[in-house]
Amino acid sequence: MSDVPTGLDVRLRAMTLEDVPRVHEIDVLSFSLPWPERSYRFEVSQNPNASCWVAEAPAPAGVVGMIVNWIILDEIHIATIAVHPAYRRLGIARRLLAHGLLAGYERGGRLAYLEVRVSNTAAQAMYARFGFTVDGLRPRYYQDNFEDALLMTLNPIDPARLRELQPG
Ligand SMILES: CC(C)(COP(=O)(O)OP(=O)(O)OC[C@H]1O[C@@H](n2cnc3c(N)ncnc32)[C@H](O)[C@@H]1OP(=O)(O)O)[C@@H](O)C(=O)NCCC(=O)NCCS
């Protein structure tokens, strides 16, 4: 357990199948193209390359954020990360990202990458804070509005820097 500045006690732990309905709720509140619930069930229970974490606050809040990473050889692909709208700007995504990247590093990940909407300046600011840089553009990547995706990469991963970003 560690504190975030508001005094809200948030702990990070591995996602379980029981978390999936709540995680899906947060996904729907956060993305215009949410994953179906079955995708989360697959990641948690069947994908050996997945690394899935949640941020949990004391009841009644419960799970307030999640991250799913795919670790393939030395690459960590950040597949999704979101925080419930009522719990944003409290440092929860920063902690999830630092934790997820460190967990991936322990499994051999040495670089990380992700796609982010060009309009999603909040997420881009967070990734920039971690040292991610824009590496390319995937034109018309998103199927709802054909928005472009920026490809952002962190290479190499510096575990000491991630540990600095981890505390609440
Ligand atoms: C992006 C998201 C995950 C950030 O979650 P969060 O818990 O609010 O983020 P944090 O409080 O940990 O903020 C970490 C850093 O991100 C940046 N950031 C986060 N929200 C921001 C905003 N609205 N505007 C500008 N910068 C922002 C800041 O650099 C912030 O550090 P600071 O608070 O010390 O300035 C959250 O806004 C979200 O769930 N959005 C919808 C889903 C999404 O876009 N996911 C990313 C897909 S690529």
Side-chain angles (χ1 to χ4, degrees):
M1 279 290 208
S2 59
D3 289 322
V4 291
T6 55
L8 185 70
D9 257 344
V10 171
R11 93 188 158 100
L12 306 187
R13 60 166 176 78
M15 189 186 296
T16 67
L17 277 175
E18 288 69 40
D19 295 321
V20 167
R22 170 65 172 168
V23 161
H24 182 248
E25 238 178 82
I26 296 170
D27 202 28
V28 168
L29 289 169
S30 300
F31 293 105
S32 50
L33 289 172
W35 289 5
E37 263 194 59
R38 67 171 182 283
S39 297
Y40 282 103
R41 283 198 296 274
F42 169 78
E43 297 302 339
V44 171
S45 60
Q46 289 176 57
N47 184 357
N49 296 319
S51 174
C52 311
W53 301 91
V54 292
E56 185 175 40
V63 169
V64 292
M66 76 286 191
I67 185 168
V68 175
N69 292 334
W70 294 317
I71 302 155
I72 312 224
L73 302 175
D74 64 347
E75 294 187 357
I76 304 172
H77 186 176
I78 293 144
T80 194
I81 178 169
V83 170
H84 188 288
Y87 295 88
R88 290 187 186 158
R89 297 314 299 261
L90 298 174
I92 294 172
R94 168 177 51 77
R95 291 181 56 198
L96 277 166
L97 185 58
H99 182 83
L101 289 172
L102 277 167
Y105 186 87
E106 279 164 22
R107 284 171 58 170
R110 291 298 177 267
L111 68 96
Y113 69 97
L114 55 90
E115 289 90 16
V116 57
R117 286 179 191 261
V118 290
S119 63
N120 192 349
T121 51
Q124 288 165 35
M126 175 173 73
Y127 300 133
R129 211 181 143 188
F130 275 72
F132 281 80
T133 53
V134 175
D135 232 22
L137 188 81
R138 299 200 198 282
R140 299 169 63 81
Y141 183 79
Y142 295 97
Q143 283 168 14
D144 56 339
N145 61 355
F146 301 107
E147 187 172 351
D148 297 344
L150 295 180
L151 176 65
M152 296 187 78
T153 307
L154 178 64
N155 186 16
I157 289 172
D158 174 3
R161 170 76 183 131
L162 293 176
R163 278 184 213 107
E164 283 169 20
L165 285 161
Q166 220 178 6

